[in-house]
């Protein structure tokens, strides 16, 4: 019987009711008394020197209240990168200042260099156009291509960075010689050059911010579309505007998806706060979709050469990669860690390969900043690995299932430290592979292929196995690696006098269902109804602290913090119960919401204990404070390591190059599952995005740095017709060994595991169909690319 | 400025609008009906779908003045009279057909228009009808299931085929 309550139940989402009735409250839905409207003036050229901005005409237009340019912010701080990465030669990365508004130079199409505040949106928009007309920008040659940018000393995105390189990183540099030697000596080396296509995250809610200033107290409030309001508060207050943290409240209300793009602090947030202070009126801004395309942090954009050395039986000897990673015009907050510690450290995959070396050069270009997007570095690593393994199997005429099987880390090898320095705590990669093969009826494939062939279609099957590192931690380690923050999380459990419970959590829910799942855990732990528990999130004035939601960390880090706060509640409850029941604390047991004296029928309910904590008439006041509220901060001992195996079955029309995904199978190991319905939904969404990357999505800048895919007319989003029903399984469970919930995280899995499965299926279809010259097609495997590959 | 009057969710409403005022803005700014969302500038994403005289339209592409005298239905008008979720809304909750909720109003309105035209659509018909509604969270799986279920079909069995 499926559970109907608590941990493991598919509890329906309580937040759905407000979203389904139009009662969600997203940032743009809010109306603030006296509000004014900001419109940003954005560069129409990719690279240029600002010669003059004449603000006079715009400032005199009807309704205009203020005009800001880069000059107004040149003396405040820059928006920093969250990680300092060192180059192979020991030099620190180059970190150019990222200003609130561009000053002296514009560096990508969409780079905001001015803003107009007016009484109405239309007035602000008209004045912004006037300001654009009154600005003189000398256009410079655009730097778009990464290879051309590197080492180009005459044309620089940032004048002070002579070769457009942020860093040249090696992981692990001490491994390099051994890896080179192993590859040189290997019986077989498979080489693959590939592009991990640039994507625009495209959360359906465009970014929006409302700044308020309260002159009576000097307090500020920022309501914004953020995945992590505390981090935004830290960045905008301490780094950019110099506001004391305790004078700024950041609220992230209902947020319409993030996928990474709403982790970061953006200049628009600082602008609305500064403008609100200047005008002593609220200032609001909501991005148009075209602004989102131009100014949200993009994802991926790697060019990689990977080599796989093996013996002739397919036993892996070494992996070596060289990658150019685009960071765009400025360093977004996680831009430097994504291609390094979230990518290079995963380059051993689930395999017991003895030698791995990763080199990443990150490059400044005149394009929008590039940062973490669902999976963040781990999809890039998985794609490189699983594509090259597939190519190796073809070159050596080996079975791709067997090759994975013989190279997997086995269950008796855990804990297992990879050559790229991660310590996998647990897993069972054979189990998920076996499971997905059973789900996909691998044995019956040939029959299905013959049926497709009768209809003139080429059918292929693609396998990908994946592992990721979630819940990035621990803080002391990430500190050594260059992080400027700690990566713990926090929760406060407040039991009210009447027994209902408020839980203030640092994780932010923008689709993940925390408002439903976290109460399931509380209910199981305290023996109370889920409905008596309310989750409070997204408001720095209400929650203790939090590093937010990204990297599949909400449950594995914040959920565990909550669990630890619950432990403290139970421990205090036992003390209260011992007093009330006149027993020794050691004899009190807590089960199903009752504190009992072991071996007797004496007991108090959770509600009685809570009431006593707030009405302490019969209470050990001399040794125990009244009240029942506990906070815990949790800094994990290690990452968590979910893993799995995916199979895609696809059909190619060789006449048109069109690919149809017929079926997609996922066998994942997420450790313990809190709400199966939500886990399945997370996998569906990730796979949908991965299929989007593999089949349709791409971000094109032309040689002048103009974004050719700047709207949904040009940027292909996956639609309902592009994807099949997915078949999802999570029954292979090896619980995480270092957190008490045994959870690993499931948010990014689908986006990590699916792109190589799709491309492997397409190559398989073409190979089986006789087009044996096609060994690789870069994503998206669009009809034109497939057709060209067949006929090329 | 022009005065327009129309019926929204069964209630007579009116307001002063400019010629360029879009129906989405009239509903959101003028009527406070912020359940209708604006997700793009190009009539592609479908978050703003409402019904005008029974037909699904993208309210970011329609001038408010053009629908004067019409009957408009938004997501706020989709619940049952007693406030409980309507059949389609309930199916979306039952089948986890939403995550962040931003595209959801448009998805529900488009699904309602589909089921009015075609009470028992096939999986393929649902996918084709919803092509004008983009969702970034769900991979569409549970949305399609929700519409199948709302039409009285065995969504789990069809999805497992």
């Amino acid at each position: 019987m499926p559970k109907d309550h608590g941990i493991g139940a598919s509890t329906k989402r309580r937040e759905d009711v407000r979203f389904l009735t139009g009662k969600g409250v997203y940032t743009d839905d809010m109306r603030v008394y006296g509000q004014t409207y900001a419109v940003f003036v954005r560069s129409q050229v990719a690279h240029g020197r600002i010669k003059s901005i004449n603000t006079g005409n715009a400032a005199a237009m009807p309704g205009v209240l203020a005009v800001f340019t880069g000059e107004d912010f040149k003396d405040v701080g820059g928006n920093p990168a969250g990680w300092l990465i060192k180059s192979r030669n020991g030099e620190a990365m180059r970190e150019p200042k990222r200003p609130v508004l561009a000053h002296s130079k514009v560096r990508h199409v969409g780079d905001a260099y001015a803003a107009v505040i007016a009484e109405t949106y239309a007035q602000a928009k008209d004045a912004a156009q006037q300001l654009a007309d009154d600005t003189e920008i000398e256009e410079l040659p655009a730097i778009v291509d990464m290879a051309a940018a590197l080492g180009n000393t005459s044309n620089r995105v940032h004048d002070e960075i002579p070769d457009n390189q942020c860093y040249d990183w090696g992981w692990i540099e001490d491994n390099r010689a051994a890896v080179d030697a192993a590859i040189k000596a290997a019986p077989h080396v498979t080489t693959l050059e590939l592009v991990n296509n640039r994507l625009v995250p495209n959360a359906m809610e465009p970014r929006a911010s409302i700044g308020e200033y309260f002159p009576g107290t000097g307090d500020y409030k920022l309501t914004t579309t953020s995945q992590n309001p505390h981090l935004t508060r830290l960045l905008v207050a301490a780094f950019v505007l110099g506001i004391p943290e305790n004078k700024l409240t950041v609220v992230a209300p209902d947020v319409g998806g993030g996928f990474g793009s709403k982790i970061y602090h953006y200049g628009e947030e600082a602008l609305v706060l500064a403008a609100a202070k200047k005008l002593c009126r609220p200032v609001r801004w909501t991005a148009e979709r075209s602004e989102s395309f131009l100014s949200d942090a993009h994802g991926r954009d790697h060019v990689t050469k990977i080599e796989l050395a093996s013996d002739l039986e397919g036993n892996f000897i070494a992996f070596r990669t060289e990658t150019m990673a685009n960071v765009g015009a400025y360093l977004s907050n996680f831009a430097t860690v994504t291609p390094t510690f979230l990518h290079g450290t995963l380059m051993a995959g689930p395999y017991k390969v003895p030698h791995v070396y990763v080199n990443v050069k990150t490059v400044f270009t005149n394009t929008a900043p590039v940062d973490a997007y669902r999976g963040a570095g781990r999809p890039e690593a998985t794609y490189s690995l699983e594509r090259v393994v597939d190519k190796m199997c073809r070159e050596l005429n080996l079975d791709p299932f067997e090759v994975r099987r013989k190279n997997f880390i086995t269950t008796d090898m855990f804990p297992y430290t990879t050559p790229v320095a991660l310590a996998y705590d647990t897993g069972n990669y054979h189990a998920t592979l076996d499971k997905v093969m059973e789900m996909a009826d691998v044995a019956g494939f040939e029959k299905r292929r013959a049926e497709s062939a009768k209809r003139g279609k080429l059918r292929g099957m693609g396998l990908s196995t994946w592992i990721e590192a979630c819940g990035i931690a621990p803080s002391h380690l990430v500190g050594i690696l260059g992080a400027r923050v700690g990566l713990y999380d926090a929760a406060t459990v407040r039991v009210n006098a009447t027994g209902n419970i408020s839980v203030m959590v640092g994780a932010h829910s923008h689709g993940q269902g925390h408002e439903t799942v976290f109460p399931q855990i509380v209910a199981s732990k305290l023996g109370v109804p889920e409905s008596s528990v309310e989750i409070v999130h997204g408001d720095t004035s209400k929650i203790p602290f939090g590093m937010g939601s990204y990297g599949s960390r909400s449950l594995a880090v914040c959920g565990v913090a909550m669990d630890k706060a619950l432990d403290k509640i139970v421990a205090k409850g036992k003390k209260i119960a011992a007093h009330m029941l006149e027993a020794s604390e050691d004899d009190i047991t807590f089960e199903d919401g009752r504190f009992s004296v072991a071996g007797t029928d004496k007991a108090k309910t959770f509600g009685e204990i809570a009431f006593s904590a707030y009405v302490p008439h019969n209470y050990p006041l001399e040794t125990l404070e009244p009240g029942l509220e506990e906070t815990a901060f949790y800094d994990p001992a290690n990452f968590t390591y979910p893993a799995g195996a995916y199979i895609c079955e696809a059909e190619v029309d060789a006449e048109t190059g069109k690919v149809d995904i017929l079926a997609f199978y996922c066998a994942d190991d997420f450790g313990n599952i809190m709400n199966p319905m939500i886990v399945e939904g997370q996998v569906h969404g990730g796979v949908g995005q991965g299929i989007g990357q593999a089949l349709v999505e791409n971000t094109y800048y032309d040689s002048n740095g103009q974004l050719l895919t700047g709207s949904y007319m040009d940027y292909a989003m996956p639609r309902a017709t592009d994807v099949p029903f997915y078949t999802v399984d999570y029954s292979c469970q090896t619980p995480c060994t270092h957190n008490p919930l045994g959870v690993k995280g499931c948010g990014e899995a689908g986006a990590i595991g699916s792109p190589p499965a799709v491309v492997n299926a397409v190559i398989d279809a073409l190979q089986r169909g006789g087009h044996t010259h096609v060994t690789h097609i870069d994503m998206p495997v669009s009809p034109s690319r497939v057709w060209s590959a067949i006929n090329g | 400025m022009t005065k327009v009057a129309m019926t929204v969710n069964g209630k007579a409403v009116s307001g002063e609008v400019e010629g360029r005022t879009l129906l989405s803005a009239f509903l959101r700014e003028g009527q406070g009906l912020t359940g209708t969302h604006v997700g793009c500038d190009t009539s592609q994403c479908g978050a703003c779908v409402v019904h005008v005289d029974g037909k699904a339209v993208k309210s970011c592409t329609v001038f408010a003045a053009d629908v004067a005298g019409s009957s408009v239905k938004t997501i706020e008008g989709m619940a049952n009279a007693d406030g409980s979720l309507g059949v389609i809304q309930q199916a979306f909750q039952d089948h986890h057909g939403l995550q962040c909720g931003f595209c959801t109003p448009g998805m529900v309105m488009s699904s309602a228009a589909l089921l009015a035209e075609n009470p028992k659509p096939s999986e393929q018909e649902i996918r084709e009808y919803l092509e004008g509604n983009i969702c970034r969270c769900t991979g569409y799986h549970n949305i399609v299931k929700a519409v199948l279920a709302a039409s009285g079909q065995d969504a789990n069995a069809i999805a497992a085929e």
Side-chain angles (χ1 to χ4, degrees):
Chain A
M1 271 291 284
K3 285 193 67 176
D4 62 358
H5 186 78
I7 288 174
S10 285
T11 301
K12 288 178 199 168
R13 298 200 329 166
R14 59 177 74 180
E15 48 269 72
D16 288 357
V17 176
R18 69 175 187 270
F19 296 140
L20 281 162
T21 53
K23 296 191 180 76
V25 182
Y26 301 84
T27 299
D28 189 63
D29 297 339
M30 295 181 177
R31 300 292 171 268
V32 189
Y33 181 73
Q35 65 187 11
T36 64
Y37 293 80
V39 168
F40 288 83
V41 189
R42 297 180 185 277
S43 178
Q44 300 193 20
V45 300
H47 194 193
R49 213 168 285 286
I50 300 171
K51 305 298 270 189
S52 66
I53 304 177
N54 178 358
T55 59
N57 292 330
M61 287 174 70
V64 173
L65 300 165
V67 176
F68 293 88
T69 68
E71 192 70 17
D72 295 303
F73 294 95
K74 73 177 168 39
D75 297 325
V76 304
N79 184 4
W83 289 64
L84 289 168
I85 304 296
K86 282 199 169 127
S87 282
R88 295 194 289 130
N89 62 8
E91 279 179 22
M93 70 181 197
R94 278 77 167 263
E95 186 181 9
K97 182 175 176 182
R98 187 181 184 194
V100 174
L101 292 171
H103 181 250
S104 74
K105 264 181 99 173
V106 286
R107 294 184 175 85
H108 65 92
V109 171
D111 199 2
Y113 60 85
V116 175
I117 319 296
E119 295 284 356
T120 71
Y121 173 69
Q123 288 168 336
K125 186 102 177 154
D126 288 346
Q129 182 59 55
Q130 183 65 49
L131 194 63
D133 293 346
D134 292 343
T135 300
E136 191 192 342
I137 294 178
E138 176 198 358
E139 189 169 357
L140 302 170
I143 300 159
V144 180
D145 179 73
M146 282 195 279
L150 275 180
N152 185 341
T153 55
S154 60
N155 196 11
R156 303 171 181 185
V157 177
H158 295 275
D159 295 350
E160 69 277 21
I161 299 175
D163 54 4
N164 296 307
Q165 181 172 284
C166 180
Y167 53 72
D168 173 2
W169 180 79
W171 194 254
I172 295 173
E173 201 54 28
D174 291 346
N175 289 355
R176 185 173 201 162
V179 172
D180 290 349
I183 289 176
K184 205 167 176 188
H188 186 82
V189 179
T190 300
T191 304
L192 181 61
E193 293 182 29
L194 51 84
V195 174
N196 206 293
N197 43 328
R198 182 176 180 126
L199 306 174
V200 181
N202 273 309
M204 293 317 298
E205 180 204 21
R207 286 192 292 120
S209 301
I210 303 170
E212 294 174 78
Y213 178 69
F214 305 94
T217 57
D219 288 330
Y220 294 79
K221 181 179 177 186
L222 174 68
T223 304
T224 193
T225 49
S226 177
Q227 298 176 222
N228 38 215
H230 272 98
L231 202 57
T232 297
R233 186 182 70 170
L234 181 70
L235 290 168
V236 74
F239 286 84
V240 180
L241 293 180
I243 302 170
E245 252 184 297
N246 58 3
K247 299 303 273 183
L248 172 63
T249 294
V250 177
V251 175
D254 286 330
V255 172
F259 314 110
S261 68
K262 292 171 182 169
I263 297 172
Y264 326 115
H265 166 51
Y266 292 87
E268 291 89 350
E269 293 169 324
L271 186 285
V272 296
L273 285 171
K277 182 178 186 193
K278 181 168 180 181
L279 297 172
C280 284
R281 286 179 66 180
V283 178
R284 63 182 305 131
W285 165 77
T286 299
E288 296 179 350
R289 180 57 61 181
S290 52
E291 283 186 284
S292 304
F293 273 102
L294 293 172
S295 67
D296 286 3
H298 294 179
R300 315 285 192 256
D301 206 351
H302 285 197
V303 176
T304 293
K305 176 184 173 189
I306 181 164
E307 293 159 285
L308 159 51
S310 69
D311 67 17
L312 298 178
E313 286 76 49
N315 294 298
F316 301 161
I317 297 169
F319 302 145
R320 182 170 64 191
T321 68
E322 287 171 36
T323 289
M324 285 186 297
N326 203 337
V327 287
Y330 302 100
L331 293 179
S332 178
N333 302 135
F334 284 8
T336 54
V337 68
T338 299
T340 52
F341 291 111
L342 297 179
H343 165 246
T345 55
L346 269 297
M347 203 52 88
Y351 304 119
K352 54 187 178 193
V353 55
H355 299 288
V356 182
Y357 176 75
V358 178
N359 174 240
V360 179
K361 296 182 174 73
T362 49
V363 190
F364 290 105
T365 59
N366 292 122
T367 64
V370 181
D371 206 327
Y373 166 65
R374 199 170 194 167
R378 291 147 292 183
E380 294 90 318
T382 303
Y383 183 69
S384 298
L385 277 178
E386 293 303 294
R387 281 293 301 125
V388 80
V389 169
D390 198 69
K391 187 162 184 261
M392 184 212 79
C393 292
R394 284 185 205 292
E395 288 177 357
L396 295 176
N397 199 23
L398 298 170
D399 177 71
F401 298 97
E402 282 312 308
V403 166
R404 261 80 169 199
R405 214 185 288 283
K406 73 166 74 172
N407 285 287
F408 278 155
I409 298 159
T410 51
T411 51
D412 56 344
M413 295 168 79
F414 293 104
Y416 179 86
T417 301
T418 72
V420 273
L422 289 183
Y424 299 166
D425 62 336
T426 180
N428 188 344
Y429 312 133
H430 292 86
T432 46
L433 180 63
D434 290 344
K435 185 73 197 178
V436 81
M437 289 177 71
E438 172 199 321
M439 290 159 68
D441 182 22
V442 171
F445 174 75
E446 198 46 46
K447 197 172 155 196
R448 297 191 294 276
R449 194 185 72 81
E451 188 277 326
S452 293
K454 270 191 214 155
R455 289 184 286 107
K457 300 287 177 69
L458 311 179
R459 195 175 187 117
M461 178 181 272
L463 168 68
S464 134
T465 60
W466 67 275
I467 182 166
E468 72 159 320
C470 296
I472 182 168
S475 290
H476 73 85
L477 176 63
V478 300
I480 291 167
L481 298 179
R484 284 166 159 164
V485 291
L487 284 162
Y488 47 85
D489 222 294
T492 295
V493 176
R494 178 179 298 153
V495 182
N496 298 309
T498 49
N500 55 38
I501 297 167
S502 306
V503 186
M504 282 60 78
V505 294
H508 185 272
S509 188
H510 34 277
Q512 298 90 338
H514 299 170
E515 292 173 31
T516 298
V517 178
F518 283 29
Q520 291 181 248
I521 298 167
V522 178
S524 284
K525 193 107 179 182
L526 298 184
V528 298
E530 291 173 18
S531 59
S532 72
V533 184
E534 199 72 21
I535 299 300
V536 178
H537 64 99
D539 185 335
T540 61
S541 70
K542 293 180 179 167
I543 56 183
F545 199 79
M547 296 307 294
S549 291
Y550 43 81
S552 306
R553 72 193 299 281
S554 297
L555 193 56
V557 187
C558 188
V560 175
M562 181 182 75
D563 188 67
K564 289 186 174 293
L566 292 169
D567 285 341
K568 294 184 186 180
I569 293 283
V570 171
K572 185 166 181 181
K574 283 184 177 175
K575 287 186 173 33
I576 300 169
H579 177 89
M580 293 174 75
L581 296 167
E582 297 175 339
S584 159
E585 190 187 325
D586 296 339
D587 291 337
I588 303 292
T589 59
F590 181 65
E591 206 174 339
D592 295 334
R594 288 167 68 83
F595 293 90
S596 310
V597 182
T600 76
D601 59 357
K602 286 170 39 174
K604 290 285 180 190
T605 66
F606 183 79
E608 287 173 304
I609 295 298
F611 186 77
S612 176
Y614 287 93
V615 186
H617 294 164
N618 177 19
Y619 193 90
L621 283 168
E622 57 285 358
T623 56
L624 201 63
E625 294 171 13
L628 197 51
E629 172 171 330
E630 298 288 351
T631 295
F633 280 63
Y634 172 64
D635 200 309
N638 191 355
F639 290 89
T640 63
Y641 298 99
Y646 289 4
I647 287 177
C648 174
E649 210 160 301
E651 218 171 54
V652 179
D653 183 334
E655 297 293 315
T656 63
K658 181 156 191 324
V659 175
D660 279 320
I661 310 268
L662 302 175
F664 205 100
Y665 304 94
C666 306
D668 291 306
D669 174 2
F670 297 131
N672 292 337
I673 300 291
M674 300 293 114
N675 181 319
M677 175 191 81
I678 286 176
V679 168
E680 288 176 21
Q682 289 292 309
V683 176
H684 296 157
V687 172
Q689 279 174 292
I691 290 175
Q693 171 169 25
L695 279 192
V696 298
E697 292 182 48
N698 207 2
T699 309
Y700 287 97
Y701 281 94
D702 72 8
S703 58
N704 296 317
Q706 290 295 330
L707 180 62
L708 301 184
T709 49
S711 80
Y712 291 144
M713 310 284 276
D714 312 295
Y715 184 96
M717 289 283 279
R719 313 266 175 157
T721 45
D722 293 316
V723 295
F725 279 127
Y726 321 105
T727 309
V728 173
D729 180 273
Y730 43 82
S731 64
C732 303
Q733 298 178 359
T734 60
C736 173
T737 59
H738 55 82
N739 73 51
L741 295 174
V743 296
K744 296 182 172 179
C746 66
E748 299 161 296
I752 293 169
S754 59
V758 173
V759 177
N760 288 348
V762 171
I763 300 299
D764 186 57
L766 296 181
Q767 289 273 338
R768 290 176 193 266
H771 304 287
T772 51
H773 64 289
V774 183
T775 57
H776 178 67
I777 304 174
D778 274 326
M779 299 186 289
V781 285
S782 60
S784 68
R785 285 184 175 183
V786 174
W787 190 91
S788 299
I790 291 172
N791 296 287
Chain B
M1 298 289 264
T2 319
K3 187 170 183 190
V4 295
M6 64 186 83
T7 306
V8 178
N9 299 328
K11 207 173 96 188
V13 303
S14 63
E16 295 279 328
V17 300
E18 293 182 74
R20 63 181 169 183
T21 303
L22 299 168
L23 177 58
S24 53
F26 178 79
L27 293 168
R28 289 178 56 79
E29 311 293 331
Q31 304 304 314
L33 295 171
T34 55
T36 297
H37 295 154
V38 178
C40 72
D41 322 323
T42 52
S43 299
Q44 295 284 304
C45 83
C48 68
V49 169
V50 301
H51 296 175
V52 175
D53 296 328
K55 290 190 73 165
V57 302
K58 289 181 170 169
S59 63
C60 76
T61 320
V62 178
F63 292 121
D66 277 347
V67 297
S70 293
S71 173
V72 175
K73 192 169 191 181
T74 71
I75 188 68
E76 287 90 346
M78 292 298 285
N80 296 324
D82 65 357
S84 61
L85 296 179
V87 172
I88 297 170
Q89 292 167 314
Q90 188 61 57
F92 269 70
Q93 186 188 29
D94 291 346
H95 291 273
H96 189 26
L98 63 151
Q99 291 181 25
C100 82
F102 195 81
C103 78
T104 307
M107 283 289 178
V108 170
M109 299 312 287
S110 287
S111 300
L114 164 63
L115 296 184
E117 284 173 30
N118 180 358
K120 284 258 183 299
S122 67
E123 176 202 343
Q124 191 58 27
E125 286 171 334
I126 295 168
R127 291 184 185 277
E128 285 172 9
Y129 198 93
L130 293 180
E131 264 206 314
N133 291 78
I134 303 176
C135 171
R136 195 53 149 171
C137 292
T138 64
Y140 302 102
H141 182 106
N142 284 337
I143 291 174
V144 177
K145 277 180 72 178
V147 180
L148 285 167
S151 68
Q153 304 182 71
D154 187 340
N156 289 330
I158 293 170
E161 266 173 21

